[in-house]
């Protein structure tokens, strides 16, 4: 890739738009923007020119910033391109290792009669997406699903739908207007904000979400939000993934029961 390659414009993530003069440390804000841009790049790589356009600052200033990030191993050089660095893996692992919820999540899954044989994940709500914090591998056959650190639109996964179902209606209307076009991965994916909100009504009644081949063909999942207190809304949820060919209604009920026990433990670890 040459230095004059034009990167396609990226859609701003809601809640993460840059704010002029909003911070006393603009270098930190710009560094974070570099990492975000590389993470969201389709190829995982961007040139100096791409990043200068992203930051809306001169190439010389961008080059100095990139050199500092490279020295810290937060990014790495790949030819004339830049990519995320290995230091981010270390930082992510350190973050996860200190979250008590993740430790308890693994401990519970190892002992649960059904979940210990399944693929189970814990995720955190992040605007219109969830971020997967941990993945328990009890079913090696289910490999076509998200990994630790991956983001997934809430409308495409059971845990995302379970989490946004806990939001207030006015927040849902603002975040997911009826005519909003949702990301589509299969023919079963929800297509509009109206379809998503209609399904959320069912989720609120039954207390869990079901994803039926909406992100991966042949795969279904169940999701439950971790109960929270106060006015900040849900932040964590858990999901279990199964192969549709062998999934049964009896298995659904038993898995939902174990997921609910898991979320109760995560929401109130002292019992």
């Amino acid at each position: 890739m040459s230095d004059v390659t034009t990167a396609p414009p990226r859609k701003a993530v809601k809640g993460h738009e840059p704010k002029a003069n909003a911070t006393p440390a603009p270098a930190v804000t710009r560094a974070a923007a570099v990492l975000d841009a590389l993470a969201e790049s389709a190829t995982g790589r961007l040139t100096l020119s791409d990043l200068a356009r992203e930051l809306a600052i001169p190439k010389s200033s961008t080059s100095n910033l990139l050199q500092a990030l490279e020295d810290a191993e937060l990014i790495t050089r790949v030819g004339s391109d830049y990519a995320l660095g290995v230091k981010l893996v270390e930082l992510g692992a350190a973050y996860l290792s200190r979250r008590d919820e993740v430790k308890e999540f693994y401990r519970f899954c190892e002992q649960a009669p059904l979940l210990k044989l399944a693929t189970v994940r814990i995720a955190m709500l992040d605007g219109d997406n969830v971020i997967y914090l941990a993945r328990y591998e009890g079913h090696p056959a289910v490999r076509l699903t998200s990994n630790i650190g991956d983001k997934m639109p809430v409308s495409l996964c059971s845990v995302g739908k379970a989490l946004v179902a806990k939001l207030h209606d006015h927040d849902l209307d603002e975040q997911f207007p009826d005519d909003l076009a949702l990301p589509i991965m299969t023919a079963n994916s929800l297509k509009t904000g109206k379809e998503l909100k209609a399904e959320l009504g069912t989720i609120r009644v039954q207390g869990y979400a079901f994803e039926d081949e909406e992100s991966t063909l042949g795969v279904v999942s169940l999701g439950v939000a971790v109960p929270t207190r106060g006015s900040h809304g849900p932040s964590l949820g858990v999901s279990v993934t199964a192969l549709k060919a062998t999934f049964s209604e009896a298995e659904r009920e038993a898995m939902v029961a174990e997921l609910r026990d898991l979320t109760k433990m995560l929401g109130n670890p002292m019992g």
Side-chain angles (χ1 to χ4, degrees):
M1 181 181 294
S2 69
D3 190 53
V4 295
T5 301
T6 300
R10 298 186 305 110
K11 181 180 179 181
V13 179
K14 185 180 291 185
H16 292 78
E17 295 86 351
K19 298 179 180 179
N21 302 320
T23 172
V28 175
T29 301
R30 289 170 178 169
V34 168
L35 300 179
D36 283 341
L38 291 172
E40 295 172 15
S41 170
T43 63
R45 301 179 183 182
L46 292 172
T47 66
L48 171 61
S49 296
D50 296 333
L51 292 165
R53 281 192 296 271
E54 179 73 23
L55 299 176
I57 61 176
K59 280 188 180 182
S60 58
S61 299
T62 304
S63 180
N64 291 336
L65 176 60
L66 295 179
Q67 185 61 57
L69 289 171
E70 187 177 0
D71 291 344
E73 297 185 331
L74 294 171
I75 65 172
T76 188
R77 191 84 66 93
V78 184
S80 62
D81 299 343
Y82 293 88
L84 295 176
V86 67
K87 188 68 176 181
L88 294 171
V89 179
E90 299 173 12
L91 294 173
Y95 168 77
L96 292 175
S97 69
R98 287 164 175 77
R99 286 199 69 126
D100 291 338
E101 299 98 331
V102 173
K103 296 177 183 177
E104 294 301 321
F105 164 79
Y106 282 119
R107 186 176 297 119
F108 184 97
C109 291
E110 289 169 355
Q111 299 173 358
L114 283 177
L115 297 186
K116 70 180 181 182
L117 303 175
T119 300
V120 191
R121 287 165 293 179
I122 182 171
M124 177 174 65
L125 185 63
D126 181 33
D128 296 343
N129 302 291
V130 297
I131 302 175
Y132 291 102
L133 301 180
R135 174 176 171 136
Y136 173 83
E137 290 281 2
H139 195 317
V142 184
R143 294 283 184 181
L144 300 177
T145 53
S146 299
N147 296 305
I148 297 173
D150 285 352
K151 279 190 176 184
M152 178 69 77
V154 296
S155 61
L156 289 171
C157 57
S158 62
V159 66
K161 291 189 284 187
L163 284 168
V164 295
K166 297 291 186 178
L167 298 177
H168 294 297
D169 285 341
H170 66 270
D171 292 326
L172 288 172
D173 288 336
E174 180 178 343
Q175 193 168 355
F176 303 102
D178 288 351
D179 59 353
L180 176 67
L182 299 174
I184 295 175
M185 295 182 69
T186 75
N188 288 355
S189 301
L190 298 175
K191 297 175 177 59
T192 65
K194 184 176 182 179
E195 290 182 9
L196 173 61
K197 288 183 289 186
E199 185 168 328
L200 297 183
T202 301
I203 294 169
R204 287 169 172 172
V205 172
Q206 63 190 15
Y208 69 91
F210 181 60
E211 184 237 315
D212 187 5
E213 297 185 285
E214 293 161 48
S215 61
T216 305
L217 293 177
V219 175
V220 299
S221 72
L222 300 158
V224 179
V226 173
T228 56
R229 297 177 180 177
S231 60
H232 297 294
S235 60
L236 294 177
V238 295
S239 64
V240 58
T241 303
L243 297 174
K244 185 168 184 177
T246 58
F247 187 70
S248 67
E249 286 302 312
E251 188 176 27
R252 179 202 293 243
E253 294 180 8
M255 282 185 167
V256 167
E258 289 190 9
L259 285 178
R260 283 175 172 157
D261 288 341
L262 173 56
T263 60
K264 288 177 183 176
M265 183 272 297
L266 293 173
N268 184 15
M270 300 303 294

